[in-house]
Amino acid sequence: AKRKRASERASASPAAAEEDGAAGAAAPTKAPPPARKPFMTRLTACMKQDDPHEALRVFEDMCAQGLLPDGHMCSMLLHLFCNASPPMRPESERVFAATQRAGVVPDEPSWSGMVRLFSVDGDLAQATAALEQMSELQLKVKLRSVSPLLVAACERGDLALASSCIERLHAHGLMPAGAEFVALVRLHAGLVERSGGGGSADAAAAEAKLDDLLRWVAEENPQIGRAHV
């Protein structure tokens, strides 16, 4: 019986043997193609120096050679462009579109980068739309995906949008942190100032809703105690 099984294995087709070997082999670590390596080295240096303008030159040099960014490069470029003052929105949109043209489906870091870009640029509608697209693509939403929009909504005094951001965090099982708490406190203070510390039923309802949100944030994050509330 042993000889028979050995004979059957020996007579198996080369293609089947290759498939068996491929199935049993560990997936190799995916390295950037050789042509991209010099650009990745330059881009890494830009990240260390926080230099968005040199990063733009790296991207343009890549395009001039017919190369498009992969997902990791895309998220690096978006991070740098968003940190620029003012944020480099047109350049970010070019990078994002180029990554998609390369056949790469942008992952969570890239989408979160676009949400942050739109938020700091003041386009909260587009930031909300980007978050919705993340959900449609079934990408894992993280705190960094929602936080920029929440902070921007609080700075604008938009309680409805801030509340929807908190609900989104809750739906994804995410724990808010100090930055989100501080943003909500500022929103609360702004509403109190505008209402003169009292006044309309709408202002009172808004304050009550914010009180609930602040308590929820404090309960979710043990580092934020009742003293903060």
Side-chain angles (χ1 to χ4, degrees):
K2 289 181 180 178
R3 284 196 297 272
K4 183 179 179 182
R5 286 196 295 271
S7 176
E8 287 173 350
R9 285 197 298 269
S11 62
S13 70
E18 286 179 10
E19 288 177 1
D20 290 343
T29 303
K30 198 167 185 180
R36 280 201 182 97
K37 283 185 178 179
F39 297 106
M40 177 59 84
T41 300
R42 290 173 59 192
L43 199 53
T44 301
C46 293
M47 289 286 288
K48 290 178 180 178
Q49 297 165 11
D50 195 19
D51 189 343
H53 300 290
E54 179 60 28
L56 177 59
R57 281 189 281 273
V58 174
F59 171 65
E60 290 173 341
D61 289 348
M62 284 182 65
C63 293
Q65 294 192 26
L67 295 171
L68 296 172
D70 58 20
H72 186 45
M73 287 177 157
C74 177
S75 63
M76 293 169 74
L77 287 162
L78 293 178
H79 175 81
L80 287 166
F81 292 165
C82 192
N83 284 350
S85 182
M88 298 164 66
R89 177 170 175 172
E91 294 81 1
S92 298
E93 292 174 332
R94 278 178 57 201
V95 167
F96 197 79
T99 305
Q100 291 175 310
R101 284 200 310 276
V104 176
V105 178
D107 53 7
E108 176 273 323
S110 296
W111 277 103
S112 294
M114 291 303 287
V115 173
R116 179 170 173 247
L117 174 78
F118 293 137
S119 298
V120 298
D121 197 41
D123 192 346
L124 306 194
Q126 193 61 43
T128 303
L131 268 177
E132 293 295 339
Q133 285 182 276
M134 285 185 71
S135 298
E136 290 171 8
L137 293 169
Q138 298 183 335
L139 294 173
K140 185 176 182 180
V141 174
K142 295 187 177 181
L143 179 60
R144 67 182 179 188
S145 312
V146 183
S147 180
L149 180 57
L150 170 60
V151 171
C154 290
E155 289 175 351
R156 187 172 289 187
D158 191 334
L159 176 58
L161 181 55
S163 299
S164 72
C165 289
I166 289 293
E167 289 165 6
R168 194 183 294 270
L169 290 177
H170 188 59
H172 288 281
L174 297 170
M175 179 186 291
E180 291 73 49
F181 182 85
V182 170
L184 288 167
V185 169
R186 287 176 175 163
L187 175 58
H188 189 290
L191 290 173
V192 171
E193 286 176 359
R194 286 197 294 274
S195 68
S200 71
D202 288 344
E207 287 182 40
K209 185 167 187 176
L210 263 170
D211 282 339
D212 290 340
L213 288 176
L214 290 169
R215 286 194 185 91
W216 178 77
V217 173
E219 289 167 3
E220 289 292 303
N221 192 332
Q223 294 179 349
I224 301 174
R226 290 201 59 80
H228 291 81
V229 178

